[in-house]
């Protein structure tokens, strides 16, 4: 072991003399790790935003067979019947806590050129919906009034669309809507929405029914009896799930697609970095052929030589991985962006460079270093002593 440490230390001290070729490994692997961590942090941030939305103590009812509120439709006549089903909690006034909500995507026309026309999610909410969502807090202004074209914007929508503030007049659906308040809900998906009175939204968009029903459960365990009651009554073509589960499932398709893209891109970059590591370590072995031959001639075995070359490759790889991870953290952690696609429209979320992603990046760098250093290390151990001394 002492022999291995001595030879390895001697190699590492000479890295400075091969700075140019060593930087090939460092920069190449820094790029791989930086891209890997950055793209995964995007997926992690989006997943956190949706998974943090909703509650297990609330259930969301949608039309049977649909996967999002946007494609769901529920008759208003069914609402009183559903409110009488088991498992639904009642408010202080004795009425069932049920909110028949309308979810639409509309084009928000802004007069300022930097923004132009944008898609925005508008949610029509009933008073029970506001009462149930205790995590939603009014940060500025006031709540909308029934029958008026008034909206309350989420904090994420305010940042996302730019210029949306209390008193701002928005133009969509051929009419003017006034922003009367800003709400916050802990950075979840609702913060990317505009909220208005449910009846106002239904009248403005010609939606006689509701997109979904949000109900307050007596407890999370009350979801099963509610699901059974819906299934047993043929009048209801509806499915119930916990609100939290609904939003978690919405993030899955996005994270799956991003995961595939990340895997392809990072693999291609890793192959390039691997060839760079191979070339660099072969060059290092060639430059040290006389030194290696001398060590072999005085009785050192091939194992210390193999270990020294591998350690050098891994050290350079870890340096590159650490650099890539640090740059990714500095540039992207906490950066707020928005996404378009799937069952949501422009959900604002923040990149999340978490410790496990940094660890994954470093593991990739170590793997590239080991693979890239193995063949040169074996070549160094098998280098014919006599030929190496003559060539030197």
């Amino acid at each position: 072991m002492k022999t291995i440490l001595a030879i390895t230390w001697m190699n590492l001290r000479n890295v400075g003399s091969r700075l140019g070729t060593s930087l090939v490994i460092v920069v190449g692997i820094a790029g791989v790790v930086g891209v890997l961590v950055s793209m995964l942090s995007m997926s992690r941030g989006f997943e956190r935003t949706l998974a943090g939305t909703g509650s297990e103590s609330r259930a969301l009812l949608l039309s049977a067979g649909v996967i999002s509120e946007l494609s769901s439709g529920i008759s208003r006549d069914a609402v009183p019947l559903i409110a009488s089903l088991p498992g639904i909690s009642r408010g202080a006034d004795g009425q069932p806590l049920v909110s028949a909500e309308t979810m639409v995507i509309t084009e928000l026309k802004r007069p300022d050129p930097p923004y132009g026309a944008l898609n925005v999610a508008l949610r029509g909410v009933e008073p029970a919906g506001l009462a149930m969502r205790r995590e939603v807090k009014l940060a500025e202004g006031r709540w909308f009034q029934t029958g008026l074209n008034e909206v309350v914007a989420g904090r994420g929508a305010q940042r996302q669309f730019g210029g949306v503030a209390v008193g701002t007049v928005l133009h969509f659906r051929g009419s003017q809507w006034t922003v009367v308040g800003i709400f916050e809900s802990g950075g979840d998906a609702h913060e990317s929405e505009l909220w208005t009175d449910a009846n106002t939204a239904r009248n403005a968009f010609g939606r006689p029914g509701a997109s979904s029903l949000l109900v307050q459960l007596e407890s999370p365990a009350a979801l099963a009896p509610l699901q059974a009651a819906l299934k047993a009554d043929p009048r209801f073509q509806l499915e119930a799930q916990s609100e939290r589960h609904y939003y978690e499932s919405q993030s899955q398709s996005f994270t799956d697609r991003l995961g595939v893209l990340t895997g392809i891109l990072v693999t291609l970059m890793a192959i390039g970095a691997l060839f760079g590591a191979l070339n660099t370590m072969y060059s290092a072995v060639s430059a040290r052929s006389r030194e290696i031959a001398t060590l072999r001639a005085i009785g050192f075995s091939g194992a210390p030589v193999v270990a020294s070359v591998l350690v050098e490759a891994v050290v350079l790889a870890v340096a590159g991985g650490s650099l890539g991870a640090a740059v990714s953290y500095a540039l992207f952690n906490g950066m707020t962006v928005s996404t378009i696609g799937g069952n949501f429209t422009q959900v604002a979320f923040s990149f999340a460079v978490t410790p496990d992603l940094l660890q994954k990046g470093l593991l990739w760098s170590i793997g590239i270093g080991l693979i890239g250093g193995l063949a040169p290390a074996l070549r160094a151990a098998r280098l014919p002593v006599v030929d190496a001394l003559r060539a030197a």
Side-chain angles (χ1 to χ4, degrees), residues 8-302:
T8 300
W9 176 244
M10 181 174 61
N11 288 352
L12 294 177
R13 284 191 305 174
N14 294 329
V15 167
S17 62
R18 305 185 300 276
L19 185 60
T21 55
S22 298
L23 285 176
V24 173
I25 296 180
V26 174
V27 174
I29 294 180
V32 173
V33 173
V35 170
L36 174 68
V37 173
S38 299
M39 295 192 70
L40 290 181
S41 69
M42 183 196 309
S43 176
R44 183 63 54 82
F46 184 74
E47 185 178 357
R48 277 186 171 185
T49 296
L50 292 190
T53 304
S55 169
E56 292 289 344
S57 64
R58 297 193 293 262
L60 193 67
L61 278 65
L62 303 175
S63 300
V66 305
I67 61 173
S68 76
E69 289 181 271
L70 295 176
S71 52
S72 175
I74 302 175
S75 171
R76 289 285 295 167
D77 296 335
V79 177
L81 299 175
I82 294 170
S84 64
L85 295 179
I88 298 178
S89 181
R90 295 179 178 270
D93 58 359
Q95 296 300 312
L97 289 172
V98 178
S99 177
E101 302 188 349
T102 299
M103 180 73 164
V104 296
I105 300 300
T106 185
E107 187 177 64
L108 176 64
K109 295 182 178 179
R110 297 290 310 284
D112 37 340
Y115 303 102
L118 300 169
N119 287 334
V120 59
L122 178 70
R123 179 181 296 275
V125 184
E126 293 188 335
L130 296 178
M132 281 186 276
R133 295 182 172 101
R134 297 183 181 88
E135 70 276 11
V136 176
K137 307 295 182 183
L138 187 66
E140 302 175 28
R142 60 174 175 82
W143 287 108
F144 48 78
Q145 294 183 8
T146 301
L148 299 180
N149 287 358
E150 295 181 342
V151 298
V152 177
R155 183 68 78 185
Q158 182 188 38
R159 293 192 299 263
Q160 175 184 344
F161 300 125
V164 174
V166 175
T168 300
V169 176
L170 306 178
H171 301 268
F172 54 84
R173 198 60 182 180
S175 57
Q176 296 181 344
W177 298 69
T178 304
V179 179
V180 297
I182 304 295
F183 72 85
E184 297 176 348
S185 52
D188 65 10
H190 288 317
E191 283 197 7
S192 298
E193 301 172 350
L194 304 180
W195 286 10
T196 189
D197 172 63
N199 287 325
T200 302
R202 282 191 281 268
N203 292 333
F205 289 86
R207 302 290 180 88
S211 301
S212 63
L213 296 182
L214 183 70
V215 304
Q216 180 71 51
L217 298 171
E218 294 175 348
S219 70
L223 177 61
L226 176 60
Q227 291 173 326
L230 288 171
K231 187 176 181 180
D233 194 328
R235 294 175 298 175
F236 304 127
Q237 298 299 314
L238 302 174
E239 295 178 348
Q241 58 186 306
S242 76
E243 187 186 22
R244 177 66 57 83
H245 178 267
Y246 169 76
Y247 283 98
E248 287 177 346
S249 65
Q250 295 301 298
S251 69
Q252 193 61 49
S253 60
F254 176 83
T255 54
D256 287 347
R257 290 195 301 269
L258 188 60
V260 172
L261 177 61
T262 300
I264 294 173
L265 182 58
V266 170
T267 299
L268 292 175
M269 293 185 66
I271 292 173
L274 181 59
F275 279 110
L278 282 168
N279 183 64
T280 298
M281 297 315 299
Y282 271 126
S283 298
V285 169
S286 178
R288 295 171 50 222
S289 58
R290 182 176 180 180
E291 173 189 323
I292 294 171
T294 301
L295 292 172
R296 297 291 307 282
I298 61 178
F300 286 98
S301 65

